[in-house]
Amino acid sequence: MTEAWRSYDPNGPTNAWHPPGTPCWASLMVHGMAAAQEFYAALFGWEFRPGLRPLGPYVRAVLNGHEVAGIGRLPPDRHLPITWTPYFTSDDVDATAETIRSCGGTVAVGPLDVAGAGRLAIASDPMGAVFGVWQSAEHLATGLTGVPGAPAWNELLTYDTAGVAKFYRTVFASGRDPVLRGGPDYVHVHIEGRPVAGIHGVGSALPRDRGPHWMTYFQVTDVDATAEKVAALGGRVVRPACVTDLGRVVTVADPEGATFSVVSRLD
């Protein structure tokens, strides 16, 4: 995973174009948008601007002038998990949606147009992990990586690696077949020679209340200080700090329970 750090330009926007299958956006759906914005503004220094409203109220988080993530409001009558969801690029969302269905996944939302900015679908893989698919028109994707407060990595936590890795490889092939490298428990997904995501088979170690799910990582300068700040802001530490190939990592949850990981480089 250390290669992933080197793939990003730490000094500017990276949203010129994303090959199909590349994670391009992270979105959080919550019940309390104002409280969520206050939490992430204090934690990461995000500012917010109004976003498109395909599914309801939505804002885009801005860091150093670049859009890095989105936060939307769940309908009050929908009792869905509060979770960060990664979006993957596609040249044709409708074709990708059909492939998802034919490979045993489920398309829960869309495909639908988003006010001229693009076309999206929200789906789940055969194990139940939720992800989004984005076909860009105007809004390209996350505009900044490699700096504190920006997305750094996406990792799927699932029961076993082999079957679900084949699913994602088939769904997002699109003429640029993703290369899967690793062992039986952890696979790196490489597209055009660059590592873009991880798939981690953890078997029965998955939380019973979560099941398979995607984990979004955000870069920070100091994971221990960030964990303390999360707690001070009303969140909690889910998994204490550990050292991985990606860096020093802490998994935390925001006040509504959405889990995410923060990572700092190992110098």
Side-chain angles (χ1 to χ4, degrees):
M1 281 186 288
T2 52
E3 297 173 70
W5 291 113
R6 305 188 196 107
S7 302
Y8 299 128
D9 175 3
N11 299 310
T14 61
N15 64 343
W17 182 72
H18 289 70
T22 305
C24 63
W25 190 247
S27 191
L28 173 66
M29 301 300 290
V30 298
H31 293 295
M33 280 187 65
Q37 290 176 71
E38 183 178 351
F39 173 84
Y40 287 100
L43 187 65
F44 292 140
W46 290 353
E47 298 176 340
F48 296 91
R49 62 176 61 147
L52 302 169
R53 300 162 60 99
L55 305 174
Y58 194 82
V59 293
R60 295 176 183 174
V62 178
L63 181 67
N64 299 340
H66 301 286
E67 295 177 351
V68 294
I71 298 177
R73 189 174 71 196
L74 285 168
D77 59 339
R78 300 293 297 275
H79 300 286
L80 298 173
I82 309 299
T83 182
W84 279 98
T85 300
Y87 280 70
F88 298 86
T89 55
S90 170
D91 285 339
D92 185 336
V93 165
D94 295 82
T96 300
E98 285 303 313
T99 304
I100 289 169
R101 295 187 185 99
S102 68
C103 291
T106 301
V107 178
V109 176
L112 55 85
D113 289 322
V114 185
R119 190 163 173 80
L120 69 77
I122 299 174
S124 60
D125 66 31
M127 298 290 183
V130 176
F131 63 95
V133 184
W134 178 251
Q135 179 182 345
S136 177
E138 174 187 329
H139 176 59
L140 294 174
T142 298
L144 188 69
T145 55
V147 299
W153 187 247
N154 287 278
E155 183 175 275
L156 174 63
L157 301 174
T158 189
Y159 293 117
D160 91 284
T161 302
V164 76
K166 182 178 179 181
F167 167 84
Y168 285 100
R169 181 173 182 169
T170 303
V171 166
F172 291 111
S174 298
R176 296 178 180 84
D177 203 9
V179 175
L180 308 178
R181 298 176 181 168
D185 298 326
Y186 198 99
V187 166
H188 290 148
V189 181
H190 290 245
I191 294 180
E192 297 192 345
R194 182 169 75 93
V196 298
I199 300 176
H200 191 185
V202 297
S204 59
L206 275 171
R208 292 185 179 180
D209 60 340
R210 288 295 310 274
H213 60 279
W214 280 94
M215 177 71 69
T216 299
Y217 287 67
F218 295 95
Q219 185 175 341
V220 297
T221 302
D222 184 331
V223 296
D224 299 286
T226 301
E228 291 180 5
K229 194 167 188 178
V230 165
L233 292 169
R236 61 187 175 88
V237 174
V238 175
R239 189 174 299 112
C242 63
V243 175
T244 72
D245 289 341
L246 188 59
R248 187 168 168 81
V249 174
V250 174
T251 300
V252 296
D254 69 19
E256 278 206 47
T259 58
F260 58 98
S261 291
V262 293
V263 58
S264 61
R265 302 188 195 216
L266 295 175
D267 297 322

